[in-house]
Each structure stands twice: as structure tokens, then as C-alpha cells.
Amino acid sequence: HAINPWDLSTKGVETFDGSLKGKAGSPTVTTGNDAVDSLLGFGTAFTAHPHVDPSTGNSAAFTWVANTKTNGLVLKIMEYDGETAEELERTELDLDWTMAPHDFALTDSYYVFFVNQMDMDLFPFVSGRCGPAECMQATGEGVTAFLVPRPNTPAAGSEP
């Protein structure tokens, strides 16, 4: 729910301008078709760790969803005005990652994600045959830092 910061009353369901889909606890998977996803009860995960840019006061957060077509992830990164909570920027990426990021860091020019080198067999998870941890396997390749250029910065327009 969206919360009024002055009196802590709830304003209703918060979707972050449509970025957050599905009900709490719904599988974070997409077929690429919103109507099919809704019918199947699929949803979107929203980070538990949004960050505030100390130089602007704006906040940044991300959503992710597993893509059944590519066995990768769709990652959306949003920046919000620190006072009005209006969405200012959105960056969307289709990635070949099989694991969702847990957190990210924010610099003046980049969003920084650390990608654990693990594989996940998506079908048993989506079909409900096993939990996410049972579907994961370490690849032994270590951790990769992934830099995503922030809009309206010197890095904007460069490749992630």
C-alpha cells in the first residue's frame, strides 16, 4: 500500500506507476503477454532495498520478473522524485541472467548490480514442483559487477 508520510494513513494499493503487477506472493514470472500473465496469476517482484541518491534526494528502485521465453530476466529500474514520488526515469533491460539480483548500489552515473553466478531451472519453480532454492545451482564462476548507466548522467547512452 502507498502510505501518507505525514499521518501514516494508507492511500490504497501502490503499483509504482504500473511497474508492480500481480498480488502479493504471486510467482514472479512473465510470458511476455500481460493478459496471459494476469490469467495465470503471475506478478512482478519489487526490491526490498530502494536507495536514495544523496546528491538529489531522489529514490531509485528496481523490479524484476523471470522471462519464460528467454529463461532470463526483465529488469526495470526506476527513479522517483524525492518529494512527490513521481516517476522521473525508467530503464528496462532484457538480461540473460537466470538469478534475480538481491540488491544494488547507486553512484552518480551508474546503477551497480552484483550478479551471483548461479543457474536456475525455471520450469520446476514455475510449475510449483519445487521451491526456488531447490532449482538453483552454483556455476563456480564467481560474482560479476554489472554497471547500468543512469539516465541524464555523463554515462547515459553507453552500453551496460
Side-chain angles (χ1 to χ4, degrees):
H1 281 77
I3 298 175
N4 180 321
W6 306 110
D7 65 11
L8 301 182
S9 63
T10 57
K11 297 179 179 180
V13 175
E14 175 64 78
T15 67
F16 297 99
D17 294 323
S19 293
L20 192 58
K21 297 179 182 175
K23 296 179 181 174
S26 55
T28 52
V29 177
T30 184
T31 62
N33 182 306
D34 286 344
V36 172
D37 290 352
S38 179
L39 180 67
L40 295 173
F42 292 166
T44 306
F46 191 86
T47 181
H49 308 287
H51 294 279
V52 175
D53 182 336
S55 63
T56 65
N58 295 336
S59 61
F62 69 92
T63 65
W64 67 266
V65 62
N67 187 335
T68 59
K69 289 182 178 180
T70 66
N71 202 34
L73 293 178
V74 177
L75 184 72
K76 294 180 185 174
I77 310 162
M78 294 80 56
E79 290 201 31
Y80 300 95
D81 183 278
E83 292 192 21
T84 67
E86 175 187 350
E87 185 177 310
L88 302 173
E89 304 288 346
R90 181 182 293 218
T91 302
E92 185 170 336
L93 302 165
D94 287 308
L95 303 167
D96 62 359
W97 305 350
T98 56
M99 297 300 303
H102 175 78
D103 198 359
F104 73 118
L106 194 61
T107 72
D108 288 341
S109 295
Y110 293 95
Y111 309 109
V112 183
F113 291 88
F114 293 96
V115 184
N116 294 315
Q117 297 302 313
M118 300 184 79
D119 285 329
M120 181 172 187
D121 187 2
L122 191 56
F123 182 73
F125 170 63
V126 173
S127 65
R129 293 189 331 203
C130 60
E134 296 172 285
C135 300
M136 295 186 291
Q137 182 174 358
T139 65
E141 296 175 21
V143 175
T144 301
F146 187 72
L147 304 176
V148 180
R150 290 177 65 184
N152 300 315
T153 70
S158 59
E159 289 294 315

